[in-house]
Amino acid sequence: MTQHLTDSLQTPTGTQPGGWWRDAVIYQVYPRSFADSNGDGMGDLEGIRSRLPYLKELGVDAVWLSPFYASPQADAGYDVADYRAIDPMFGTLHDADAVIREAHRLGLRIIVDLVPNHCSDQHEWFKQALREGPGTPLRERFHFRPGRGADGELPPNDWESIFGGPAWTRVADGEWYLHLFAPEQPDFNWEHPAVQDEFRSILRFWLDLGTDGFRIDVAHGLVKAPGLPDLGRDEQLKLLGNQVLPFFDQDGVHEIYRSWRKILDEYDGDRIGVAEAWTPSADRTALYLRPDELHQAFNFHYLGTGWDAAALRAAIDDSLDAMRPVGAPTTWVLSNHDVVRHRTRFGGDLGRARAAALLMLALPGSAYVYQGEELGLPEVVDLPDEVRQDPSFFKENGQDGLRDGCRVPIPWSGTEAPYGFGPGGSWLPQPEAWAELSVEAQTGREGSTLELYREALRIRREHPALGAGDAVEWLAAPEGVLAFRRGDFVCTANTTTEPVAFAAPGVPLLASGEQAEPGVLPGDTTVWWQVTSG
Ligand code: GLC
Ligand code: CA
């Protein structure tokens, strides 16, 4: 495989100095559900490559690919057996190289998913650790412990798995190993130098291949508190994101990101690290983004905020205030492969989902778009149990997850499933109503959600005030309405269902819904305005 670090990456327009990623719109591709090239019902890398022109035309700056590595798929690829190999289901390393090259040719950046907290129980190290038994060196690369109780029949501590049940599984020789997620996902011991070395090498492998950065899975989980102390309570899921836990958001993780940043900086072309970090506060998230650590972190606080003007304004202010001291851009996200699609979360109304999207895309910083949200896809809520694959579904206490409904393959064209997803079927059934939501059905259709996203991204690229900077200037607005100014641009979002009187602050540039009569903001609608004077 030849390197192509300096491939002719066009400079995207509208990017402010100081890094393409600061105001980038990053599109999340979930490989198994994006496009299937060979008809096995599973999306793949060649499918992605063939659809890159669609993403270029949509107007995004970068693409984040969820995992495509060799994996038994116990957690849809977040259980990696070989970090340097592609799962045959998705293609080959040659296909990955082709995706990166083609993306760069089109002026798109590629961010790959890195899963450093845990691997698959089919990873060579773990298999060897199991074979060689207690006390052998490979066991030290994971968290193996004897159990508690007279015969070691109880787990070593009281930690619960995020997917439900104990975070420990006992192996045949009597020892237990730690897995914060599924039993098929053993946690690495990040105190071990071999683990640290291995991941530095994996970073280089993908950087050498030309990737523009990494989305770092469970970035807050790598370091565990010394001695793996009990939490002393159950229902630990309720604590996630509310406090520092002995397995989440330990200060020691920052050492790791400082060492990774050095590697990223050795490469040309602004390679970035994006943290998936669930922390108790925006201030603690900002710690991951200090100048010698990572570049961005997902804004789960924003994702978790309802369609409510006061709550949104507070979340926006908190996020901007927290990132300013470390000089990192804020990010915004409404949907991803782990949560109920925002259209459904906000009550099912397409108009509201569109309004939420325009609000997000008007904010300063970087925005994440999850595949299919540009089509206005709702969550699929009626999947039969027998087709579901999400490991959290099968766990008694893990029902929280139920993540298959946002992972249904997206519709491209035609009137029947799989709607152009591929020449075969689709690994999850698609609803009948999706014919009219397909890319083909929405392309060129005035007022379609796809055309709204395209237009919003076009304006965002051409309008210097959008995406740039680290502040918004709030304007006085009636209850339930958000209004802010950024340079010669104003965004108004009416989060109520009723029309509200509001004097036009300029000339409308784009509206998420029907254009209102002058002086009225329709309910559940966001409007972008160009201020012409003063
Ligand atoms: C992250 C991923 C999620 C996965 C988990 C374990 O939260 O986004 O899909 O199940 O990590 O890797
Ligand atoms: Ca396929």
Side-chain angles (χ1 to χ4, degrees), residues 28 30 64 66-67 75-79 113 115 117-118 162-163 180-182 185 215-218 220 276 278 300 336-338 390-391 403 407:
Q28 181 188 358
Y30 195 64
W64 149 36
S66 279
D75 183 19
Y78 283 96
D79 49 320
D113 218 308
V115 190
N117 180 68
H118 46 262
I162 312 305
F163 291 160
L180 293 182
F181 292 87
Q185 293 168 297
R215 176 266 188 188
I216 299 154
D217 189 65
V218 197
H220 53 300
E276 186 215 19
W278 294 87
F300 292 119
N336 67 34
H337 66 294
D338 289 330
D390 179 16
R403 300 172 299 175
R407 299 175 176 181

Side-chain angles (χ1 to χ4, degrees), residues 35-45 89-90 421:
D36 171 24
S37 72
N38 62 355
D40 64 356
M42 267 295 162
D44 46 51
L45 287 167
M89 166 175 127
F90 294 126
F421 168 64

Side-chain angles (χ1 to χ4, degrees), residues 340-353:
V340 171
R341 282 187 178 276
H342 71 264
R343 171 169 173 187
T344 303
R345 259 195 355 257
F346 291 159
D349 180 57
L350 179 58
R352 193 176 288 172

